[in-house]
């Protein structure tokens, strides 16, 4: 903010000109000591032709007005009236014994100085009173916040006045301006002095002005999963972080896994924030945006947009809510409320409890490792038994995050598996020219299902609109865990898929499966169905069931972990898998716990044994590597070969 400015005007006809000059010299010296520039009207009036306009201009730029009132000169009433209109602090200095101004001058502050320039004791007392008055103003009317608000108001008034002055006659523009100004006034009036409600676009200049405020701690939550605060970019304005004590950034949890490049860019941004924008400590915390837990209530109420929050000591909170006047618009709401501030503090602390402190030396893997340790994501609970349906809720609630810590390139594995299913559906449909039926084993959270169903819906749509069966007629899914069934049904709404007979049921393979299917598939389920170190009899039974439930040209597709029995490469692949989990962010003891709790994966059947058992039941085998060939993850396709008559 610019330096303080004082406007001074006095009478040259006062009873003792020497006393006036001495009083002026005292005031100018003290103004300089307190950081003021000053405009002495009497020193400049001779060069001003339009006196009224010049006085107005100078008063608009001033923070403080000092008028000498010993003689009621003609301009005094104009200067005092304009000062009152601008709500500027005003002091009238006058020689001792002179009359006070009439009451309609607004009863300004008075400071008397001696009429005798040689009265050292009197002028010392005047200097002390003037100094004390300046000190009080610095804490109240001339505080940085008061000045900022006053300058903003004056700038707005000035621009409105200039606009009005540009139209000497009736014009539609004047009505438009009046409507806008009235709407702005209503927004400001909606909460009185305790609440500020403006369009969210004004957040940046509003927050930037806080650089001049040092009255307490500023904390904030920036919800990067919501696009309201679009200024979190590499060219982020520096002043936005100038005096924040700490800030929590909420990100989508996928940034730790599939969006590492995006996370890396923000890490660089956060590092630059801490390096450039604070002379004192500026702490950054990172957390994943979560659904609010019981007891966590955003202080702006259920209508709050995102989890954005601003906390300014001792009693100010801020956030966003929808703007009823704009589609997808946002309003910034700043409220002074002691009770809500206490609630907001609790909300902030609750979010912070699951956040990790950002350090400038961190890279993506360091931040992910800290987040995993803080939240327990990726931790294998030894109470999670092999029977999935009996595992505790935190296994299911965080499954999509857990699995990315355990399975290398999980998203790629799912995408590649879905693409393989697509190709087999199209192959069978093209060869047989009939609708295809598909079966998914162990659909779990629906991650693979959600890739495949939209694709089926799209290829079926033209046929559905013509009231014909599309390339895919039935989609059946089976999973043994009730929690998974409820979750995936809620997400995909199988009964609402147009043009597709889709059912997701609870059950086990193969006891609860009826009929025959053209494509049977699953991700991370085959090792569970077969078990660790399967015998030849177990494998034979699996493929016998598979043959029974697939059509004569049907296909099995499994994305999973596969071992190599009796081969050094098998042990090496498992070790590489273990190394990957540690490198990806899990602690060694966490990895050991996972490996010990999943022997059906660490002792999974090798492709060579599966191929042999599959061929005995009429399947030929194709293998696709997922991720790196040194890791034990593959997509294996078992395709039935038509018997030649």
């Amino acid at each position: 903010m610019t330096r303080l400015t004082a406007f001074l005007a006095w009478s040259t006809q006062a009873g003792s000109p020497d006393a006036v000059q001495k009083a002026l010299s005292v005031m100018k010296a003290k103004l300089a000591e307190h950081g003021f520039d000053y405009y002495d009207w009497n020193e400049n009036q001779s060069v001003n032709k339009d006196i009224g306009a010049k006085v107005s201009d100078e008063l608009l730029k001033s923070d403080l007005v000092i008028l000498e009132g010993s003689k009621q000169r003609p301009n005094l009433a104009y200067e005092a009236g304009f000062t009152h209109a601008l709500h500027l602090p005003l002091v009238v200095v006058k020689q001792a014994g002179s009359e006070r101004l009439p009451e309609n001058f607004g009863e300004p502050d008075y400071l008397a100085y001696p009429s005798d320039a040689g009265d050292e004791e009197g002028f010392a007392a005047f200097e002390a009173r003037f100094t004390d008055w300046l000190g009080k103003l610095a804490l109240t009317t001339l505080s940085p916040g008061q000045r900022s608000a006053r300058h903003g108001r004056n700038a707005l008034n000035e621009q409105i006045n200039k606009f009005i002055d540009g139209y000497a006659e009736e014009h539609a523009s004047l009505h438009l301006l009046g409507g806008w100004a009235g709407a702005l006034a209503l927004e400001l009036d909606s909460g009185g002095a305790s609440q500020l409600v403006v369009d969210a676009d004004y957040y940046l200049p509003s927050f930037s002005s806080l650089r001049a405020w040092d009255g307490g701690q500023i904390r904030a939550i920036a919800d990067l999963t919501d696009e309201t605060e679009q200024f979190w970019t590499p060219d982020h304005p520096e002043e936005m972080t100038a005096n924040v004590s700490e800030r929590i950034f909420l990100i989508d949890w996928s940034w730790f896994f599939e969006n590492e490049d995006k996370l890396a860019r923000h890490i660089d941004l956060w590092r630059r924030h801490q390096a450039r924008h604070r002379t004192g400590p500026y702490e950054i915390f990172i957390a994943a945006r979560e659904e609010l837990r019981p007891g966590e209530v955003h202080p702006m109420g259920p209508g709050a947009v995102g989890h954005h929050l601003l906390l300014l000591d001792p009693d100010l909170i801020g956030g966003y809510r929808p703007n009823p006047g704009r589609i997808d618009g946002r309003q910034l709401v700043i409220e002074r409320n002691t009770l809500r501030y206490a609630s907001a503090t609790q909300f902030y602390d609750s979010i912070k409890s699951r956040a990790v402190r950002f350090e400038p030396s961190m890279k993506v893997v360091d931040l992910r490792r800290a987040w995993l340790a803080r939240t327990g994501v990726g931790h294998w609970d030894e109470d999670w038994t092999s029977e999935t349906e009996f595992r505790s809720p935190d296994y299911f609630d965080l499954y999509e995050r857990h699995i990315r810590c355990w399975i290398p390139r999980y998203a790629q594995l799912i995408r590649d598996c879905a693409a393989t299913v697509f190709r087999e559906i199209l192959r069978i449909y093209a060869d047989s020219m009939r609708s295809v039926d598909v079966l998914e084993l162990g659909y779990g959270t629906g991650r693979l299902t959600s890739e495949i169903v939209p694709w089926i819906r799209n290829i079926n749509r033209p046929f559905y609109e013509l009231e014909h069966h599309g390339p895919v007629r039935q989609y059946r899914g089976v999973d043994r865990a009730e929690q998974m069934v409820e979750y995936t049904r809620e997400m995909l709404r199988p009964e609402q898929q147009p043009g597709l007979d889709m059912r997701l049921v609870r059950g086990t393979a193969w006891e609860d499966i009826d009929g025959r299917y053209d494509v049977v598939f699953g991700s991370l389920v085959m090792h569970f169905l077969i078990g660790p170190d399967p015998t030849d009899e177990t494998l034979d039974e699996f493929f016998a069931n598979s043959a029974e439930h697939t059509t004569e040209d049907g296909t099995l597709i499994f994305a999973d972990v596969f071992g190599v029995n009796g081969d050094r490469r098998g042990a090496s692949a498992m070790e590489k898998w273990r190394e990957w989990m540690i490198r990806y962010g899990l602690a060694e003891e966490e990895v050991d716990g996972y490996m010990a709790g999943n022997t059906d994966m660490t002792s999974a059947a090798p492709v060579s044994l599966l191929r042999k058992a599959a061929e005995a039941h009429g399947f030929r085998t194709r293998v696709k590597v997922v991720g790196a060939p040194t890791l034990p993850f593959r997509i294996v396709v078992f395709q039935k070969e038509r018997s030649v008559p």
Side-chain angles (χ1 to χ4, degrees), residues 7 9 55 59 65-67 73-92 101-102 104-108 110:
F7 178 92
V55 168
L59 288 173
V65 177
I66 302 172
L67 303 177
R73 54 191 174 83
N75 289 344
L76 186 61
Y78 179 83
E79 294 160 353
F82 205 93
T83 299
H84 282 302
L86 295 177
H87 299 278
L88 294 175
L90 167 66
V91 64
V92 174
L101 298 178
N104 58 6
F105 272 69
E107 286 298 318
Y110 286 94

Side-chain angles (χ1 to χ4, degrees), residues 411-559:
Q412 180 185 341
L413 180 102
I414 295 297
R415 288 194 300 268
D416 289 354
C417 184
T420 305
V421 172
F422 301 158
R423 284 193 294 270
E424 287 303 303
I425 290 173
L426 294 176
R427 179 188 65 80
I428 295 172
Y429 178 71
D431 288 347
S432 62
M433 292 307 296
R434 60 176 174 78
S435 294
V436 175
D437 294 335
V438 301
L439 170 66
E440 182 178 3
L441 302 178
Y443 51 80
T445 60
R447 181 68 182 84
L448 179 58
T449 321
S450 62
E451 290 275 343
I452 293 174
V453 170
W455 180 84
I456 291 176
R457 193 169 57 234
N458 287 333
I459 65 169
N460 274 0
R461 181 175 290 113
F463 299 87
Y464 173 71
E465 292 173 353
L466 295 173
E467 300 183 353
H468 293 296
H469 284 303
V472 179
R473 185 173 66 95
Q474 292 186 49
Y475 192 114
R476 297 289 183 265
V478 61
D479 195 283
R480 64 186 297 167
E482 183 177 354
Q483 298 96 322
M484 295 292 198
V485 175
E486 293 177 356
Y487 178 87
T488 307
R489 279 179 177 172
E490 178 68 22
M491 178 178 68
L492 292 174
R493 306 283 183 177
E495 69 281 357
Q496 298 178 14
Q497 298 295 333
L500 178 63
D501 180 4
M502 182 180 181
R503 299 177 197 172
L504 300 176
V505 300
R506 182 184 180 190
T508 58
W510 301 89
E511 290 85 351
D512 299 302
I513 294 173
D514 297 321
R516 291 157 64 87
Y517 298 89
D518 299 288
V519 182
V520 178
F521 59 93
S523 61
L524 300 174
V525 68
M526 189 175 190
H527 69 271
F528 185 82
L529 296 174
I530 296 176
D533 294 323
T535 63
D536 291 342
E537 290 77 13
T538 300
L539 294 178
D540 183 74
E541 181 183 2
F542 175 81
F543 282 104
N545 283 322
S546 298
E548 179 184 346
H549 290 287
T550 51
T551 57
E552 60 180 8
D553 55 354
T555 298
L556 306 172
I557 302 169
F558 293 103

Side-chain angles (χ1 to χ4, degrees), residues 268-283:
D268 183 61
L269 179 66
W270 300 330
R271 186 181 296 122
R272 286 189 282 116
H273 283 178
Q274 289 188 314
R276 298 179 183 176
H277 300 309
R278 285 288 294 185
T279 56
Y282 167 44
E283 294 187 307

Side-chain angles (χ1 to χ4, degrees), residues 369-432:
R369 181 175 287 111
W371 180 71
L372 295 179
R374 180 73 164 179
T375 60
V377 170
H379 168 77
W380 181 265
D381 191 326
E382 61 183 17
D383 291 335
W384 293 343
T385 66
S386 58
E387 285 74 27
T388 310
E389 62 269 34
F390 299 126
R391 293 174 183 171
S392 56
D394 51 339
Y395 172 83
F396 301 99
D397 294 342
L398 299 177
Y399 179 82
E400 286 295 316
R401 304 173 200 196
H402 288 318
I403 199 68
R404 284 164 170 79
C405 299
W406 302 331
I407 307 301
R409 309 289 186 270
Y410 174 73
Q412 180 185 341
L413 180 102
I414 295 297
R415 288 194 300 268
D416 289 354
C417 184
T420 305
V421 172
F422 301 158
R423 284 193 294 270
E424 287 303 303
I425 290 173
L426 294 176
R427 179 188 65 80
I428 295 172
Y429 178 71
D431 288 347
S432 62

